[in-house]
Amino acid sequence: MPSCPKDGTEVRSPVKEWDLSPKSRKGPKLHIRLFECPTCGYRWRVVEKVG
Ligand SMILES: [Zn+2]
């Protein structure tokens, strides 16, 4: 479970998530998840390679 880098609050679900097409056709597809800490309001993104 992702946690806030500022204060360690665990955030269960992302506020937003989307797929990002690779810049080149050979590159991996990326899946972006945006998390927002309910405690301090800090936002951060987690990027995963898909496939
Ligand atoms: Zn926080």
Side-chain angles (χ1 to χ4, degrees):
M1 188 178 296
S3 58
C4 175
K6 300 283 187 182
D7 54 36
T9 301
E10 291 186 341
V11 182
R12 295 186 178 183
S13 59
V15 292
K16 189 179 178 183
E17 58 182 320
W18 67 96
D19 289 322
L20 191 65
S21 297
K23 291 179 181 178
S24 66
R25 292 185 180 181
K26 292 179 181 178
K29 189 178 178 183
L30 299 177
H31 187 71
I32 318 292
R33 289 184 295 167
L34 179 68
F35 292 93
E36 183 176 324
C37 177
T39 303
C40 69
Y42 182 77
R43 286 186 168 200
W44 73 99
R45 289 189 295 176
V46 175
V47 182
E48 287 180 352
K49 291 179 183 178
V50 180

